[in-house]
Amino acid sequence: MSLPSDPDPQVFLRVKGALKTLGMSQRDLAKQLGLAPGVVSLALSGGNEKTFRRIIEMLEQEHGIDPLQLWGEGERGDKILNELQAIKTELNGLRTEMEALKELIKNKK
């Protein structure tokens, strides 16, 4: 999984938040990955895509964190589903109005 060409800055905050929730410092993370703390810090600031990908993969594999939640896809998906639900509701209203108009036309004949 690669970073989007213009990643949402929130993704880095989400990953940092996930680490905090796990009680894992950047130093702990660096030790676990066998990297220098500066490399991890750079990755968590968006400066090293390869290491950032590694961090996300580790969070998924070892801690069961859904990477889509880190990338924010769940939020975008929820927004899309909400928009689709609103469209569906509006279409159902239009269908009801069309049926009422058909009845009016039918009764005027």
XYZ file of all heavy atoms in Angstrom:
846
model
N 0.859 -1.164 0.000
C 0.000 0.000 0.000
C 0.904 1.225 0.000
O 1.805 1.351 0.802
C -0.882 -0.023 1.260
C -1.764 1.168 1.399
S -2.757 1.165 2.924
C -3.563 -0.401 2.833
N 0.689 2.144 -0.919
C 1.504 3.344 -0.941
C 0.671 4.525 -0.485
O -0.551 4.486 -0.472
C 2.042 3.593 -2.352
O 0.977 3.826 -3.231
N 1.390 5.557 -0.103
C 0.703 6.779 0.289
C 0.011 7.368 -0.915
O 0.538 7.312 -2.023
C 1.710 7.806 0.821
C 2.286 7.568 2.199
C 3.417 8.552 2.451
C 1.237 7.727 3.250
N -1.161 7.943 -0.737
C -1.768 8.664 -1.849
C -0.825 9.787 -2.266
O 0.013 10.219 -1.485
C -3.062 9.217 -1.238
C -3.319 8.385 -0.034
C -1.988 7.936 0.451
N -0.955 10.263 -3.506
C -0.042 11.300 -3.983
C -0.105 12.551 -3.120
O 0.874 13.251 -2.967
C -0.349 11.634 -5.445
O -1.690 12.069 -5.558
N -1.250 12.817 -2.548
C -1.396 13.967 -1.658
C -2.147 13.488 -0.420
O -3.341 13.709 -0.292
C -2.169 15.083 -2.377
C -2.244 16.350 -1.557
O -1.390 16.523 -0.666
O -3.149 17.157 -1.792
N -1.432 12.792 0.500
C -2.136 12.199 1.634
C -2.746 13.248 2.550
O -2.215 14.334 2.723
C -1.055 11.395 2.352
C 0.218 12.043 1.973
C 0.004 12.598 0.585
N -3.863 12.893 3.118
C -4.518 13.724 4.121
C -3.598 13.785 5.330
O -3.186 12.746 5.844
C -5.856 13.074 4.477
C -6.638 13.812 5.530
O -6.128 14.796 6.103
O -7.782 13.398 5.793
N -3.232 14.978 5.796
C -2.346 15.078 6.961
C -2.894 14.350 8.183
O -2.142 13.973 9.072
C -2.254 16.579 7.231
C -2.704 17.250 5.992
C -3.608 16.284 5.280
N -4.200 14.109 8.200
C -4.814 13.408 9.322
C -4.321 11.964 9.441
O -4.339 11.397 10.526
C -6.339 13.429 9.187
C -6.957 14.793 9.327
C -6.727 15.380 10.705
O -6.933 14.712 11.713
N -6.287 16.618 10.757
N -3.861 11.370 8.335
C -3.408 9.984 8.389
C -2.234 9.854 9.357
O -2.145 8.891 10.113
C -3.069 9.427 6.988
C -1.832 10.044 6.405
C -2.899 7.915 7.046
N -1.348 10.822 9.359
C -0.190 10.763 10.250
C -0.640 10.915 11.703
O -0.119 10.253 12.590
C 0.834 11.829 9.855
C 1.289 11.680 8.417
C 0.859 12.566 7.451
C 2.110 10.631 8.040
C 1.256 12.423 6.122
C 2.511 10.466 6.719
C 2.086 11.362 5.761
N -1.637 11.784 11.923
C -2.171 11.947 13.278
C -2.887 10.685 13.738
O -2.814 10.303 14.909
C -3.109 13.155 13.337
C -2.462 14.518 13.106
C -3.518 15.613 13.067
C -1.426 14.805 14.176
N -3.595 10.028 12.811
C -4.294 8.787 13.164
C -3.298 7.698 13.575
O -3.532 6.961 14.526
C -5.144 8.291 11.998
C -6.388 9.097 11.762
C -7.251 8.442 10.681
N -8.206 9.394 10.185
C -8.088 10.051 9.030
N -7.084 9.815 8.225
N -9.003 10.921 8.662
N -2.196 7.600 12.844
C -1.192 6.590 13.166
C -0.560 6.905 14.521
O -0.396 6.018 15.363
C -0.128 6.480 12.050
C 1.038 5.602 12.492
C -0.760 5.922 10.780
N -0.234 8.169 14.745
C 0.322 8.561 16.044
C -0.676 8.271 17.162
O -0.304 7.814 18.242
C 0.706 10.041 16.036
C 1.916 10.347 15.176
C 2.181 11.848 15.141
C 3.293 12.198 14.174
N 3.494 13.659 14.072
N -1.952 8.519 16.894
C -2.995 8.230 17.880
C -3.100 6.740 18.160
O -3.282 6.321 19.303
N -2.979 5.929 17.109
C -3.030 4.473 17.282
C -1.858 4.011 18.147
O -2.029 3.174 19.036
C -3.001 3.770 15.921
N -0.691 4.575 17.892
C 0.483 4.220 18.694
C 0.274 4.602 20.157
O 0.591 3.829 21.065
C 1.736 4.900 18.140
C 2.202 4.409 16.763
C 3.285 5.322 16.214
C 2.673 2.969 16.840
N -0.277 5.790 20.360
C -0.528 6.251 21.735
C -1.523 5.331 22.435
O -1.343 4.962 23.598
C -1.045 7.688 21.705
C -1.182 8.307 23.066
C -1.578 9.776 22.956
C -1.636 10.395 24.346
N -1.916 11.828 24.278
N -2.572 4.940 21.714
C -3.575 4.031 22.271
C -2.947 2.701 22.671
O -3.321 2.107 23.679
C -4.704 3.790 21.250
O -5.320 5.043 20.959
C -5.746 2.825 21.775
N -1.984 2.258 21.885
C -1.292 1.005 22.177
C -0.235 1.176 23.267
O 0.384 0.199 23.685
C -0.624 0.459 20.907
C -1.565 0.030 19.787
C -0.771 -0.229 18.504
C -2.351 -1.197 20.199
N 0.000 2.428 23.681
C 1.023 2.689 24.690
C 2.427 2.538 24.133
O 3.363 2.205 24.854
N 2.568 2.785 22.834
C 3.852 2.598 22.165
C 4.440 3.960 21.779
O 3.811 4.731 21.061
C 3.643 1.736 20.913
C 4.925 1.362 20.200
S 4.611 0.344 18.726
C 4.025 -1.150 19.482
N 5.634 4.239 22.272
C 6.304 5.489 21.918
C 6.996 5.322 20.567
O 7.165 4.195 20.071
C 7.342 5.857 22.983
O 8.438 4.946 22.934
N 7.421 6.435 20.002
C 8.160 6.357 18.744
C 9.468 5.595 18.955
O 9.908 4.855 18.088
C 8.434 7.761 18.197
C 7.194 8.436 17.660
C 7.481 9.766 16.998
O 8.588 10.024 16.540
N 6.477 10.626 16.937
N 10.060 5.748 20.123
C 11.298 5.024 20.445
C 11.026 3.510 20.493
O 11.795 2.712 19.954
C 11.859 5.519 21.769
C 13.227 4.967 22.087
C 13.846 5.637 23.298
N 14.065 7.075 23.170
C 15.061 7.644 22.481
N 15.932 6.887 21.862
N 15.182 8.947 22.428
N 9.895 3.114 21.117
C 9.515 1.692 21.162
C 9.296 1.157 19.746
O 9.727 0.050 19.419
C 8.212 1.488 21.962
C 8.336 1.863 23.420
O 9.455 1.812 23.975
O 7.294 2.226 24.024
N 8.610 1.945 18.958
C 8.328 1.554 17.582
C 9.624 1.378 16.801
O 9.798 0.385 16.084
C 7.423 2.599 16.911
C 7.068 2.371 15.458
C 6.284 1.078 15.279
C 6.245 3.551 14.940
N 10.520 2.337 16.951
C 11.811 2.258 16.252
C 12.558 0.987 16.648
O 13.098 0.280 15.794
C 12.652 3.495 16.576
N 12.556 0.680 17.944
C 13.236 -0.523 18.433
C 12.595 -1.779 17.841
O 13.286 -2.689 17.386
C 13.188 -0.555 19.955
C 14.013 -1.643 20.558
C 14.031 -1.528 22.073
C 14.903 -2.604 22.686
N 14.951 -2.492 24.138
N 11.253 -1.808 17.826
C 10.534 -2.962 17.298
C 10.838 -3.171 15.817
O 10.957 -4.296 15.355
C 9.035 -2.798 17.511
C 8.237 -3.994 17.055
C 6.759 -3.884 17.399
O 6.334 -3.002 18.124
N 5.972 -4.796 16.885
N 10.959 -2.068 15.073
C 11.214 -2.165 13.636
C 12.699 -2.253 13.306
O 13.076 -2.425 12.142
C 10.592 -0.966 12.916
C 9.069 -0.881 12.939
C 8.600 0.427 12.332
C 8.431 -2.062 12.229
N 13.560 -2.090 14.332
C 15.001 -2.128 14.096
C 15.505 -0.906 13.356
O 16.411 -0.991 12.528
N 14.891 0.250 13.650
C 15.256 1.496 12.976
C 15.695 2.546 13.987
O 15.389 2.440 15.178
C 14.043 2.039 12.201
C 13.478 1.140 11.102
C 12.154 1.696 10.608
C 14.471 1.018 9.954
N 16.341 3.559 13.488
C 16.715 4.688 14.339
C 15.464 5.504 14.641
O 14.582 5.643 13.771
C 17.749 5.556 13.627
N 15.350 6.046 15.855
C 14.186 6.866 16.197
C 13.936 8.023 15.225
O 12.795 8.352 14.928
C 14.511 7.378 17.600
C 15.431 6.359 18.169
C 16.251 5.868 17.010
N 15.007 8.596 14.696
C 14.854 9.699 13.743
C 14.169 9.276 12.456
O 13.403 10.034 11.861
N 14.429 8.050 12.035
C 13.807 7.517 10.813
C 12.302 7.362 11.036
O 11.491 7.722 10.179
C 14.451 6.168 10.406
C 13.700 5.528 9.256
C 15.912 6.369 10.055
N 11.939 6.854 12.213
C 10.524 6.684 12.548
C 9.845 8.038 12.663
O 8.746 8.252 12.151
C 10.361 5.867 13.850
C 8.932 5.915 14.349
C 10.800 4.430 13.617
N 10.508 8.987 13.302
C 9.952 10.331 13.441
C 9.704 10.958 12.077
O 8.652 11.557 11.831
C 10.908 11.202 14.259
O 10.406 12.510 14.371
N 10.663 10.802 11.180
C 10.518 11.338 9.822
C 9.338 10.686 9.109
O 8.528 11.371 8.470
C 11.814 11.105 9.033
C 11.861 11.648 7.613
C 11.787 13.177 7.623
C 13.143 11.198 6.919
N 9.201 9.375 9.257
C 8.101 8.659 8.605
C 6.754 9.123 9.147
O 5.798 9.304 8.380
C 8.250 7.155 8.813
N 6.668 9.331 10.458
C 5.406 9.749 11.066
C 5.072 11.209 10.781
O 3.998 11.681 11.135
C 5.441 9.497 12.575
C 5.470 8.020 12.970
C 5.657 7.871 14.472
C 4.209 7.309 12.511
N 5.994 11.887 10.118
C 5.744 13.272 9.688
C 5.535 13.350 8.180
O 5.438 14.431 7.617
C 6.918 14.162 10.090
O 7.068 14.154 11.483
N 5.531 12.189 7.517
C 5.285 12.148 6.078
C 6.535 12.214 5.233
O 6.452 12.347 4.019
N 7.708 12.082 5.851
C 8.953 12.242 5.105
C 9.591 10.961 4.603
O 10.605 11.008 3.930
N 9.023 9.797 4.931
C 9.613 8.539 4.496
C 8.491 7.538 4.245
O 8.029 6.858 5.153
C 10.592 8.021 5.564
C 11.344 6.793 5.106
O 10.813 5.949 4.391
N 12.588 6.684 5.525
N 8.064 7.466 3.000
C 6.911 6.638 2.639
C 7.143 5.158 2.925
O 6.264 4.474 3.449
C 6.570 6.824 1.164
C 5.407 5.974 0.711
C 5.110 6.103 -0.768
O 5.546 7.072 -1.402
O 4.430 5.208 -1.284
N 8.327 4.656 2.606
C 8.614 3.226 2.787
C 8.488 2.835 4.268
O 7.848 1.837 4.597
C 10.011 2.913 2.271
C 10.370 1.454 2.339
C 11.754 1.212 1.764
C 12.136 -0.253 1.880
N 13.500 -0.477 1.398
N 9.070 3.624 5.137
C 8.991 3.328 6.575
C 7.569 3.513 7.081
O 7.087 2.727 7.901
C 9.974 4.215 7.365
O 11.297 3.952 6.891
C 9.902 3.939 8.847
N 6.873 4.522 6.585
C 5.490 4.748 7.012
C 4.629 3.551 6.641
O 3.810 3.083 7.430
C 4.937 6.038 6.398
C 3.624 6.445 6.980
C 3.550 6.967 8.267
C 2.452 6.311 6.263
C 2.342 7.341 8.825
C 1.233 6.677 6.801
C 1.180 7.196 8.088
N 4.834 3.018 5.439
C 4.118 1.816 5.008
C 4.415 0.655 5.943
O 3.529 -0.109 6.298
C 4.539 1.447 3.586
C 3.489 1.664 2.551
C 3.809 1.040 1.203
N 5.164 0.602 0.973
C 6.035 1.221 0.203
N 5.725 2.320 -0.413
N 7.245 0.727 0.034
N 5.664 0.521 6.323
C 6.064 -0.543 7.252
C 5.368 -0.407 8.593
O 4.940 -1.397 9.191
C 7.583 -0.464 7.483
C 8.316 -1.665 7.022
C 9.792 -1.501 7.218
N 10.227 -2.303 8.353
C 11.438 -2.266 8.844
N 12.334 -1.451 8.345
N 11.756 -3.027 9.864
N 5.256 0.823 9.069
C 4.580 1.077 10.350
C 3.121 0.650 10.256
O 2.596 -0.036 11.130
C 4.707 2.560 10.747
C 6.167 2.888 11.080
C 3.780 2.893 11.922
C 6.464 4.375 11.195
N 2.453 1.034 9.178
C 1.042 0.679 8.998
C 0.884 -0.840 8.895
O -0.017 -1.415 9.496
C 0.438 1.399 7.780
C 0.295 2.878 8.118
C -0.910 0.794 7.392
C -0.311 3.724 7.050
N 1.759 -1.495 8.154
C 1.697 -2.955 8.030
C 1.885 -3.625 9.394
O 1.189 -4.587 9.722
C 2.751 -3.445 7.041
C 2.403 -3.108 5.602
C 3.554 -3.352 4.628
O 4.630 -3.855 5.054
O 3.390 -3.017 3.452
N 2.813 -3.108 10.206
C 3.046 -3.669 11.529
C 1.812 -3.476 12.411
O 1.400 -4.390 13.122
C 4.268 -2.996 12.170
C 4.657 -3.551 13.542
S 3.799 -2.842 14.976
C 4.155 -1.122 14.854
N 1.203 -2.290 12.348
C -0.001 -2.034 13.143
C -1.125 -2.980 12.749
O -1.870 -3.466 13.599
C -0.440 -0.575 13.001
C 0.453 0.458 13.667
C 0.029 1.871 13.282
C 0.443 0.293 15.178
N -1.221 -3.267 11.455
C -2.267 -4.185 10.985
C -1.971 -5.621 11.415
O -2.822 -6.293 11.995
C -2.374 -4.110 9.461
C -3.387 -5.083 8.893
C -3.429 -5.083 7.377
O -2.474 -4.624 6.730
O -4.434 -5.568 6.844
N -0.765 -6.084 11.155
C -0.428 -7.485 11.399
C -0.301 -7.824 12.876
O -0.761 -8.876 13.307
C 0.862 -7.845 10.669
C 0.700 -7.825 9.166
C 2.022 -7.979 8.431
O 3.071 -8.102 9.030
N 1.955 -7.948 7.115
N 0.318 -6.952 13.637
C 0.593 -7.290 15.036
C -0.446 -6.768 16.018
O -0.526 -7.263 17.134
C 1.979 -6.784 15.418
C 3.069 -7.499 14.632
C 4.461 -7.116 15.054
O 4.644 -6.634 16.183
O 5.378 -7.292 14.231
N -1.230 -5.785 15.592
C -2.191 -5.195 16.524
C -3.618 -5.177 15.992
O -4.520 -4.658 16.634
C -1.743 -3.777 16.917
C -0.399 -3.762 17.571
N -0.210 -4.136 18.885
C 0.824 -3.447 17.088
C 1.070 -4.033 19.189
N 1.726 -3.626 18.118
N -3.820 -5.711 14.778
C -5.161 -5.838 14.222
C -5.838 -4.518 13.877
O -7.064 -4.440 13.821
N -5.050 -3.488 13.618
C -5.625 -2.186 13.278
C -5.914 -2.155 11.780
O -5.051 -2.463 10.962
C -4.680 -1.044 13.689
C -4.561 -1.035 15.211
C -5.162 0.298 13.158
C -3.565 -0.059 15.761
N -7.132 -1.792 11.431
C -7.554 -1.730 10.032
C -6.874 -0.549 9.352
O -7.105 0.599 9.725
C -9.075 -1.580 9.970
C -9.612 -1.562 8.559
O -8.821 -1.627 7.589
O -10.843 -1.483 8.404
N -6.044 -0.812 8.340
C -5.346 0.293 7.674
C -6.289 1.291 7.008
O -5.964 2.462 6.887
C -4.440 -0.390 6.657
C -4.925 -1.778 6.533
C -5.689 -2.104 7.769
N -7.471 0.822 6.606
C -8.425 1.749 5.990
C -8.872 2.812 6.987
O -9.142 3.947 6.619
C -9.628 1.001 5.424
C -9.325 0.094 4.236
C -10.590 -0.608 3.781
C -8.695 0.864 3.107
N -8.937 2.444 8.259
C -9.286 3.435 9.282
C -8.168 4.456 9.436
O -8.423 5.630 9.663
C -9.586 2.760 10.619
C -10.857 1.947 10.610
C -12.082 2.800 10.318
O -12.219 3.900 10.812
N -12.962 2.275 9.493
N -6.928 3.980 9.317
C -5.799 4.900 9.420
C -5.770 5.862 8.234
O -5.490 7.042 8.392
C -4.476 4.122 9.505
C -4.313 3.241 10.738
C -3.046 2.403 10.618
C -4.306 4.072 12.002
N -6.065 5.324 7.066
C -6.063 6.172 5.861
C -7.291 7.076 5.820
O -7.356 7.990 5.037
C -6.028 5.319 4.590
C -4.746 4.586 4.392
C -4.553 3.249 4.494
C -3.468 5.144 4.068
N -3.236 2.947 4.260
C -2.554 4.088 3.991
C -3.015 6.440 3.833
C -1.206 4.275 3.689
C -1.674 6.633 3.538
C -0.790 5.563 3.463
N -8.294 6.786 6.655
C -9.501 7.598 6.650
C -10.544 7.112 5.681
O -11.558 7.763 5.482
N -10.308 5.959 5.062
C -11.267 5.440 4.086
C -12.612 5.144 4.724
O -13.642 5.282 4.097
C -10.718 4.179 3.412
C -9.470 4.424 2.602
C -9.672 5.367 1.450
O -10.721 5.298 0.800
O -8.791 6.186 1.194
N -12.595 4.706 5.955
C -13.861 4.431 6.635
C -14.708 5.674 6.729
O -15.913 5.654 6.507
N -14.072 6.805 7.019
C -14.823 8.052 7.110
C -15.384 8.448 5.756
O -16.530 8.855 5.643
C -13.913 9.165 7.637
C -13.514 8.973 9.079
C -12.463 9.954 9.534
O -12.193 10.928 8.803
O -11.920 9.747 10.621
N -14.559 8.332 4.720
C -15.045 8.671 3.379
C -16.164 7.724 2.980
O -17.142 8.121 2.380
C -13.902 8.612 2.379
C -13.054 9.850 2.425
C -12.048 9.876 1.303
N -10.784 10.193 1.926
C -9.652 9.583 1.722
N -9.571 8.614 0.850
N -8.562 9.926 2.356
N -16.005 6.447 3.316
C -17.042 5.471 3.005
C -18.341 5.792 3.708
O -19.416 5.700 3.123
N -18.244 6.184 4.984
C -19.445 6.558 5.730
C -20.109 7.769 5.087
O -21.332 7.823 4.981
C -19.102 6.893 7.189
C -18.691 5.668 7.977
O -18.929 4.541 7.498
O -18.132 5.833 9.071
N -19.304 8.720 4.649
C -19.858 9.923 4.014
C -20.586 9.544 2.729
O -21.696 10.012 2.479
C -18.732 10.919 3.715
C -19.220 12.211 3.113
C -18.080 13.177 2.869
C -18.599 14.449 2.228
N -17.540 15.374 1.879
N -19.978 8.678 1.943
C -20.599 8.244 0.693
C -21.900 7.502 0.981
O -22.918 7.733 0.320
C -19.626 7.368 -0.127
C -18.486 8.241 -0.656
C -20.345 6.655 -1.262
C -17.341 7.461 -1.258
N -21.880 6.610 1.972
C -23.102 5.876 2.307
C -24.208 6.821 2.773
O -25.374 6.643 2.407
C -22.819 4.831 3.393
C -22.045 3.602 2.930
C -21.738 2.698 4.116
C -22.798 2.846 1.862
N -23.852 7.828 3.548
C -24.846 8.809 3.991
C -25.419 9.579 2.805
O -26.623 9.822 2.739
C -24.242 9.774 5.012
C -23.977 9.106 6.342
O -24.578 8.094 6.677
N -23.060 9.669 7.110
N -24.552 9.959 1.866
C -25.022 10.668 0.676
C -25.928 9.771 -0.160
O -26.964 10.221 -0.664
C -23.833 11.164 -0.149
C -23.085 12.309 0.510
C -21.823 12.708 -0.240
O -21.514 12.119 -1.305
O -21.146 13.629 0.242
N -25.545 8.501 -0.307
C -26.385 7.572 -1.068
C -27.739 7.373 -0.397
O -28.763 7.291 -1.071
C -25.671 6.231 -1.234
C -24.511 6.213 -2.219
C -23.798 4.862 -2.168
C -24.984 6.507 -3.626
N -27.747 7.304 0.920
C -29.011 7.153 1.646
C -29.900 8.373 1.422
O -31.111 8.236 1.222
C -28.757 6.946 3.143
C -30.021 6.660 3.930
C -30.770 5.435 3.425
O -30.164 4.404 3.134
N -32.071 5.534 3.309
N -29.313 9.570 1.425
C -30.090 10.792 1.188
C -30.669 10.787 -0.224
O -31.830 11.164 -0.435
C -29.216 12.028 1.413
N -29.889 10.340 -1.199
C -30.366 10.252 -2.586
C -31.503 9.243 -2.683
O -32.527 9.495 -3.328
C -29.201 9.874 -3.537
C -28.216 11.046 -3.626
C -29.729 9.478 -4.911
C -26.911 10.690 -4.315
N -31.348 8.111 -2.026
C -32.384 7.078 -2.039
C -33.687 7.609 -1.442
O -34.770 7.391 -1.993
C -31.899 5.860 -1.256
C -32.830 4.685 -1.304
C -32.212 3.500 -0.560
C -33.163 2.333 -0.550
N -32.603 1.187 0.176
N -33.580 8.326 -0.343
C -34.763 8.906 0.298
C -35.442 9.898 -0.641
O -36.673 9.900 -0.781
C -34.358 9.603 1.622
O -33.766 8.624 2.478
C -35.543 10.231 2.309
N -34.647 10.726 -1.295
C -35.208 11.711 -2.230
C -35.881 11.014 -3.408
O -36.978 11.412 -3.837
C -34.105 12.647 -2.728
C -34.633 13.783 -3.586
C -33.547 14.781 -3.979
O -32.442 14.716 -3.429
O -33.831 15.613 -4.850
N -35.257 9.960 -3.935
C -35.858 9.225 -5.048
C -37.180 8.578 -4.644
O -38.139 8.582 -5.430
C -34.890 8.149 -5.561
C -33.735 8.648 -6.411
C -32.775 7.510 -6.717
C -34.231 9.275 -7.696
N -37.221 8.030 -3.429
C -38.483 7.438 -2.962
C -39.568 8.500 -2.867
O -40.732 8.239 -3.214
C -38.285 6.743 -1.610
C -37.548 5.432 -1.755
O -37.571 4.804 -2.807
N -36.867 5.024 -0.703
N -39.218 9.703 -2.436
C -40.185 10.801 -2.383
C -40.676 11.174 -3.772
O -41.877 11.410 -3.979
N -39.757 11.206 -4.741
C -40.138 11.524 -6.124
C -41.048 10.443 -6.707
O -42.008 10.749 -7.421
C -38.886 11.689 -6.990
C -38.056 12.945 -6.717
C -36.746 12.883 -7.484
C -38.839 14.199 -7.081
N -40.762 9.181 -6.398
C -41.627 8.097 -6.864
C -43.043 8.255 -6.333
O -44.015 8.071 -7.052
C -41.074 6.748 -6.403
C -40.054 6.184 -7.303
C -39.777 4.720 -6.959
N -38.497 4.385 -7.518
C -37.398 4.161 -6.827
N -37.419 4.178 -5.521
N -36.281 3.880 -7.428
N -43.138 8.587 -5.055
C -44.449 8.774 -4.437
C -45.195 9.911 -5.130
O -46.394 9.788 -5.437
C -44.288 9.073 -2.932
O -43.585 7.981 -2.329
C -45.620 9.249 -2.247
N -44.504 11.006 -5.382
C -45.136 12.145 -6.059
C -45.543 11.781 -7.483
O -46.618 12.193 -7.945
C -44.178 13.341 -6.076
C -43.965 13.963 -4.707
C -42.932 15.078 -4.723
O -42.619 15.621 -5.801
O -42.425 15.395 -3.629
N -44.713 11.000 -8.179
C -45.055 10.587 -9.541
C -46.287 9.694 -9.543
O -47.155 9.822 -10.428
C -43.871 9.871 -10.197
C -42.746 10.818 -10.584
S -41.320 9.984 -11.288
C -41.997 9.244 -12.743
N -46.389 8.797 -8.588
C -47.568 7.931 -8.492
C -48.813 8.771 -8.241
O -49.874 8.506 -8.826
C -47.386 6.879 -7.386
C -46.344 5.822 -7.697
C -46.642 5.037 -8.967
O -47.820 4.695 -9.202
O -45.687 4.780 -9.733
N -48.683 9.783 -7.392
C -49.825 10.665 -7.112
C -50.233 11.416 -8.381
O -51.433 11.573 -8.668
C -49.478 11.644 -5.995
N -49.258 11.895 -9.162
C -49.574 12.587 -10.416
C -50.230 11.634 -11.421
O -51.177 12.017 -12.117
C -48.288 13.162 -11.032
C -47.743 14.420 -10.367
C -46.375 14.774 -10.944
C -48.712 15.585 -10.557
N -49.773 10.410 -11.491
C -50.381 9.422 -12.388
C -51.846 9.210 -12.009
O -52.718 9.118 -12.878
C -49.637 8.092 -12.304
C -48.333 8.057 -13.031
C -47.680 6.672 -12.885
C -46.308 6.640 -13.472
N -45.667 5.308 -13.275
N -52.130 9.134 -10.733
C -53.506 8.950 -10.252
C -54.359 10.171 -10.633
O -55.504 10.010 -11.059
C -53.547 8.733 -8.739
C -53.161 7.340 -8.322
C -54.105 6.278 -8.881
O -55.351 6.440 -8.800
O -53.581 5.286 -9.436
N -53.811 11.376 -10.489
C -54.547 12.585 -10.866
C -54.877 12.574 -12.341
O -55.988 12.889 -12.751
C -53.734 13.835 -10.534
C -53.762 14.319 -9.090
C -52.770 15.462 -8.907
C -55.156 14.784 -8.719
N -53.890 12.226 -13.174
C -54.106 12.194 -14.617
C -55.118 11.123 -14.965
O -56.022 11.338 -15.801
C -52.755 11.940 -15.345
C -51.831 13.157 -15.179
C -52.980 11.618 -16.820
C -50.420 12.935 -15.641
N -55.006 9.984 -14.351
C -55.921 8.873 -14.607
C -57.358 9.266 -14.229
O -58.299 8.960 -14.956
C -55.475 7.668 -13.787
C -56.270 6.422 -13.997
C -55.659 5.294 -13.145
C -56.570 4.102 -13.141
N -56.040 3.034 -12.284
N -57.532 9.945 -13.111
C -58.860 10.342 -12.644
C -59.478 11.456 -13.484
O -60.684 11.614 -13.501
C -58.817 10.754 -11.178
C -58.561 9.559 -10.271
O -58.881 8.434 -10.622
N -57.990 9.817 -9.105
N -58.673 12.246 -14.184
C -59.187 13.357 -14.998
C -59.640 12.860 -16.365
O -60.307 13.581 -17.076
C -58.119 14.430 -15.162
C -57.898 15.182 -13.865
C -57.248 16.491 -14.105
C -57.155 17.210 -12.777
N -57.098 18.599 -12.864
N -59.305 11.663 -16.746
C -59.693 11.144 -18.062
C -61.111 10.701 -18.081
O -61.863 10.386 -17.386
C -58.795 9.984 -18.463
C -57.423 10.439 -18.835
C -56.629 9.247 -19.331
C -55.241 9.656 -19.754
N -54.467 8.614 -20.281
